[in-house]
Amino acid sequence: MKHKLKEILDKNRCFIEAGNLPTYIPELSKANKNALGIYIVDLNGEEYGEGDYEYPFTIQSISKVITLMLALEDRGAEEIFKFVGMEPTGDSFNSMMKLEIVRPSRPFNPMINAGAIAVTSLINGSPEEKFQRILTLFKKITNNDSIKVNHEVYLSEKKTGDRNRAMAYFMRDVGVLQGDVEDNLDVYFRQCSLEVTCRDIAKIGAFLANDGVLLQTGERLIEAKNAKIAKTFMVTCGMYNASGEFAIEVGIPAKSGVGGGIMALVPGKMGIGVLGPALDDKGNSSAGVQILSDLSNLFNLSIF
Ligand code: GLN
């Protein structure tokens, strides 16, 4: 297995060149563009890693899957979907275009920035409690107590996050965002700046592949129906406006982040974490997508 993973990484190293480090969050442009790693956690307890699977990166949009599950647990699906939709946009992850032109004014889904910011505002608790509850859930799922915010990335996001700020103010105006705008954005920027490795996100994938039950203890943290909603959004919206192509080429639930990570899973089988900080024009790891495509073809992983 390890040998096969190495082969796949080496074959796809060339796709790093096709991508670029993001600059809109200046701190992210300092990542090592050539880092490339993969980690697999299968539900039988086997784990396999290759390449830079211990290289730390910020989780960014992959966190949206966790906050969605937490909000669903807190409020129930019926309540959450009054504020955020269930449809892909076909637009980029930080687009604000449809917020105003499509009525009612609510974000299309919880995987785009607007939807995720609204979802974070729906999590129970004060802003500090929200963040602590998100962090606690992360630590439990990954079985990694040392996960923390990368302070430089957090400050960089907070300083340059005016597009997110604009969407959040608009959403408060139309009654989608609950509570104080800056407080909610602060939680969102912190959740996006949590520092993880391929291993951590593979664990999250495995947890979802296991329908919301912790592998290590058998404890159910998330109701199966909420894990199912999260996985479905990963298929329809997890790779933003490349989700359709990804479903055809790779065919497994996946969520990317601008830190270069992709968290993927095969239901009932395994969680997969991939890192490649250079991004394609849709904001997905350029080499990471190709690695997952090869992996899926080699082991016939597509769920379709
Ligand atoms: N924190 C990032 C942002 O708000 C998350 C986007 C992403 O990973 N696609 O822009």
Side-chain angles (χ1 to χ4, degrees), residues 48-94:
Y48 314 90
E50 191 52 52
D52 302 311
Y53 62 85
E54 284 179 327
Y55 184 87
F57 59 96
T58 52
I59 191 152
Q60 297 298 339
S61 281
I62 300 167
S63 67
K64 295 168 179 175
V65 178
I66 307 286
T67 48
L68 172 65
M69 288 194 290
L70 194 52
L72 286 168
E73 292 284 315
D74 281 356
R75 305 273 189 121
E78 199 183 332
E79 182 70 8
I80 295 300
F81 293 119
K82 285 181 188 158
F83 298 93
V84 57
M86 299 183 186
E87 303 303 333
T89 60
D91 303 324
S92 63
F93 65 83
N94 57 3

Side-chain angles (χ1 to χ4, degrees), residues 22-272:
T23 51
Y24 80 101
I25 299 172
E27 198 62 26
L28 293 183
S29 66
K30 296 183 182 166
N32 173 8
K33 190 178 174 183
N34 293 315
L36 208 57
I38 185 165
Y39 202 87
I40 295 180
V41 175
D42 83 19
L43 298 199
N44 303 322
E46 301 289 338
E47 302 191 10
Y48 314 90
E50 191 52 52
D52 302 311
Y53 62 85
E54 284 179 327
Y55 184 87
F57 59 96
T58 52
I59 191 152
Q60 297 298 339
S61 281
I62 300 167
S63 67
K64 295 168 179 175
V65 178
I66 307 286
T67 48
L68 172 65
M69 288 194 290
L70 194 52
L72 286 168
E73 292 284 315
D74 281 356
R75 305 273 189 121
E78 199 183 332
E79 182 70 8
I80 295 300
F81 293 119
K82 285 181 188 158
F83 298 93
V84 57
M86 299 183 186
E87 303 303 333
T89 60
D91 303 324
S92 63
F93 65 83
N94 57 3
S95 172
M96 57 178 85
M97 192 165 57
K98 287 201 169 80
L99 266 186
E100 198 187 15
I101 57 172
V102 180
R103 302 286 158 150
S105 284
R106 49 166 205 192
F108 263 50
N109 68 67
M111 300 290 117
I112 52 172
N113 285 10
I117 293 166
V119 164
T120 294
S121 82
L122 292 163
I123 292 171
N124 288 343
S126 66
E128 191 51 37
E129 281 163 358
K130 278 183 213 267
F131 178 70
Q132 289 306 329
R133 292 184 64 225
I134 296 167
L135 183 59
T136 302
L137 185 56
F138 259 104
K139 286 180 172 175
K140 268 193 146 176
I141 296 177
T142 57
N143 197 20
N144 179 359
D145 226 24
S146 64
I147 289 187
K148 57 179 184 344
V149 167
N150 176 320
H151 211 64
E152 286 73 37
V153 173
Y154 157 66
L155 290 178
S156 187
E157 287 212 43
K158 199 172 163 87
K159 194 168 166 197
T160 57
D162 284 343
R163 179 177 277 260
N164 287 330
R165 210 162 264 125
M167 291 191 281
Y169 276 101
F170 179 83
M171 288 193 291
R172 188 175 64 171
D173 179 63
V174 295
V176 166
L177 187 128
Q178 310 297 301
D180 181 80
V181 170
E182 288 299 334
D183 282 352
N184 277 301
L185 284 169
D186 192 66
V187 178
Y188 173 77
F189 293 140
R190 281 197 276 170
Q191 82 185 47
C192 288
S193 304
L194 287 171
E195 199 161 68
V196 292
T197 63
C198 287
R199 184 168 188 273
D200 296 318
I201 59 172
K203 289 260 180 191
I204 302 172
F207 171 77
L208 279 156
N210 204 27
D211 293 329
V213 173
L214 276 185
L215 286 185
Q216 55 270 30
T217 61
E219 183 189 355
R220 174 169 293 288
L221 296 184
I222 301 289
E223 282 188 63
K225 64 179 181 191
N226 291 335
K228 188 173 174 182
I229 293 173
K231 280 184 278 190
T232 311
F233 274 122
M234 288 171 72
V235 172
T236 56
C237 314
M239 305 296 284
Y240 311 112
N241 43 336
S243 298
E245 186 180 344
F246 190 88
I248 290 173
E249 300 292 340
V250 188
I252 56 175
K255 181 77 204 81
S256 64
V258 288
I262 304 178
M263 182 263 285
L265 65 103
V266 183
K269 292 214 173 81
M270 67 179 88
I272 307 165

